[in-house]
Amino acid sequence: MTRAKRDFGTIRKRANGRYQAYYMGPDQGFHRAPSTFQTKSDAEGWLAAERRLIQNDEWSPAKSRRAKVRRATEAFGPYAEAWLAQREIKQRTRALYRRQLDRFILPAFAEMSLRDITPPVVRTWYTSIDPTRPTQRAHVYSLLRAILNEAVRDDILAKNPCTIRSAGIAKRQRPIDPASPEEIVTLMNEMPDRYWAFVIIAAWCGLRFGELAELRRGDIDVKTGLIHVRRAVTWDHSTPVVGTPKNGQQRSVSMPPHIVDVVSAHLDRFVERPSDALLFPAVGDSTRQIHSNTVRRHWIKAREAAGRPHMRIHDLRHTGAVLAALAGATPKETMDRLGHLSAEAAMRYQHVARGRDAEIAAKLSELAGY
DNA sequence: CGCTGGACAAGGCACCTATA
DNA sequence: TATAGGTGCCTTGTCCAGCG
């Protein structure tokens, strides 16, 4: 029986002619190869591989690695179900993930073992998802990546096979294209007069639809020109739900002086006296908030007339943000006005405004005859 | 019968926080 | 500063009921 001592590990020839290898691990424990080897060089190869793991700091006791291999053959389906069940997320997000799993992810991967989900497999799957729905595609990809990231953290996978660059980022489809002051006037005039103030407040003060729909007489201070945005309405099926504005940010927005008259006339003509009377109530029920589809129906006609057939109601808010920036508001001031929490959101409008400013400067030069 | 307000589901965009 | 992981809300398309 020979026993060759080496600089890493030991190889021992057994009586039956096979070779056995073992070494002392970083954990100071004794680790033997799971089986003996036919040749000495096979044993050496095993030792070299173990040593590389230690050097790369990827080593773990062989026993637990075997457990890992077993778990890696676990099917994706059950793993994903457990992942979703254990996640602490909002009901709404859970429902979203459920749909995405059922429609896009499980049909492709449910039966596969985690180990068999390789980057090429993911790539092939990714290209099979409708690219004309980029937001959905990015979201679904993100979800798969998040689940497999958990498998990495669980030490089931060494690396996440979702390696497509930027695939999880949903780019905005349309550039921010605010309405000009002239277009705002046209849009307003093309709407029924009970919505004039709606358009003008959205465009010049940048309120969200849900904030406008929940505005009440008491929120408007004609004297100081302030609109207090304290609440917003959302819809749970057919029931209006009143809460704080998105991000929980209450704020007060100054009306530009030129719109105060329109707003004040609106209060006189269309709003009931009590301070909790809605500015834009549902038709036929003054206690109920207007439904977005009701405004939209008129909006679609108005935007055609204004030559902006693709403009959405929410784009009026963008308009408000860009106009503020154009008027010289700093990013911080724009944030406060719009109720943003992050500077990035405000900066987007600042950029658009800078582009506009350059346009205006160019027009001025034209006027001057250059 | 066309118009209007409204319900509803699904998709998309806006915007956030944490973290590397 | 970029990316990942979440969450909220708006838009779109379609269908339906009530009404003049």
Side-chain angles (χ1 to χ4, degrees):
Chain A
M1 254 193 286
T2 57
R3 190 183 298 204
K5 188 83 185 124
R6 15 190 344 105
D7 57 344
F8 176 77
T10 307
I11 295 173
R12 189 181 169 193
K13 188 169 187 185
R14 304 308 308 245
N16 61 4
R18 293 181 64 86
Y19 293 84
Q20 184 183 46
Y22 54 88
Y23 62 91
M24 201 61 85
D27 59 347
Q28 300 307 314
F30 176 83
H31 298 278
R32 191 184 293 134
S35 56
T36 56
F37 301 94
Q38 174 89 54
T39 68
K40 192 173 175 189
S41 58
D42 287 345
E44 280 166 347
W46 180 78
L47 277 177
E50 292 297 299
R51 187 188 204 178
R52 209 172 313 121
L53 286 177
I54 293 169
Q55 281 165 351
N56 295 343
D57 213 19
E58 289 167 355
W59 182 87
S60 62
K63 261 188 197 152
S64 73
R65 247 179 286 148
R66 278 197 292 282
K68 197 192 291 183
V69 169
R70 249 198 319 281
R71 285 159 70 200
T73 60
E74 190 180 314
F76 175 86
Y79 186 82
E81 294 295 346
W83 178 88
L84 185 61
Q86 289 160 13
R87 202 117 287 240
E88 286 180 19
I89 46 177
K90 294 276 176 67
Q91 165 60 32
R92 195 197 134 77
T93 305
R94 186 179 303 282
L96 175 69
Y97 287 0
R98 179 77 262 168
R99 277 203 307 277
Q100 292 179 332
L101 271 173
D102 290 344
R103 284 191 50 197
F104 297 101
I105 300 180
L106 290 176
F109 298 117
E111 314 291 327
M112 281 180 85
S113 73
L114 289 164
R115 197 181 34 188
D116 292 339
I117 304 176
T118 58
V121 171
V122 171
R123 227 175 299 127
T124 306
W125 165 78
Y126 178 75
T127 52
S128 76
I129 300 175
D130 184 0
T132 65
R133 302 214 177 291
T135 304
Q136 177 175 273
R137 200 184 197 203
H139 260 142
V140 167
Y141 178 83
S142 289
L143 178 57
L144 177 66
R145 183 182 53 201
I147 295 170
L148 293 175
N149 267 341
E150 189 76 4
V152 173
R153 278 191 288 275
D154 278 352
D155 272 344
I156 297 173
L157 295 177
K159 277 164 77 181
N160 193 325
C162 294
T163 54
I164 307 170
R165 271 199 73 195
S166 305
I169 296 170
K171 284 211 192 61
R172 102 179 1 263
Q173 295 297 293
R174 258 178 299 210
I176 296 169
D177 188 8
S180 67
E182 297 76 37
E183 285 170 337
I184 296 172
V185 172
T186 310
L187 287 164
M188 187 183 96
N189 285 329
E190 292 295 328
M191 296 282 276
D193 50 5
R194 65 181 187 279
Y195 297 130
W196 286 0
F198 184 99
V199 172
I200 215 164
I201 294 173
W204 289 99
C205 301
L207 269 62
R208 300 179 177 93
F209 179 87
E211 294 166 347
L212 282 158
E214 179 47 33
L215 274 185
R216 294 168 192 269
R217 179 179 280 277
D219 299 321
I220 311 292
D221 188 335
V222 175
K223 285 215 179 62
T224 59
L226 283 178
I227 297 178
H228 302 291
V229 184
R230 304 183 174 104
R231 300 167 313 282
V233 64
T234 57
W235 295 83
D236 179 15
H237 294 101
S238 57
T239 324
V241 181
V242 176
T244 54
K246 187 173 178 175
N247 313 329
Q249 293 298 103
Q250 299 191 341
R251 65 189 191 280
S252 295
V253 186
S254 282
M255 290 183 268
H258 73 278
I259 77 164
V260 175
D261 283 350
V262 176
V263 175
S264 142
H266 178 82
L267 287 171
D268 292 344
R269 287 182 62 197
F270 301 109
V271 184
E272 292 175 2
R273 297 305 119 184
S275 70
D276 66 349
L278 288 165
L279 254 66
F280 309 104
V283 177
D285 180 355
S286 65
T287 65
R288 202 177 160 83
Q289 293 86 348
I290 190 87
H291 194 279
S292 71
N293 280 4
T294 306
V295 179
R296 198 169 102 85
R297 212 164 285 272
H298 300 291
W299 175 253
I300 287 171
K301 285 182 201 157
R303 68 185 187 182
E304 295 286 343
R308 294 295 304 270
H310 302 297
M311 189 167 182
R312 304 162 310 157
I313 290 173
H314 196 74
D315 293 331
L316 287 174
R317 174 169 157 83
H318 293 163
T319 299
V322 173
L323 287 173
L326 204 50
T330 64
K332 172 73 176 120
E333 286 160 347
T334 307
M335 279 170 69
D336 291 345
R337 200 170 165 78
L338 277 285
H340 284 142
L341 287 179
S342 75
E344 283 87 45
M347 280 312 290
R348 283 205 295 272
Y349 303 117
Q350 216 78 16
H351 282 130
V352 178
R354 259 206 283 290
R356 289 277 145 148
D357 206 32
E359 244 174 71
I360 291 169
K363 287 232 173 76
L364 289 174
S365 288
E366 265 173 48
L367 281 179
Y370 291 100

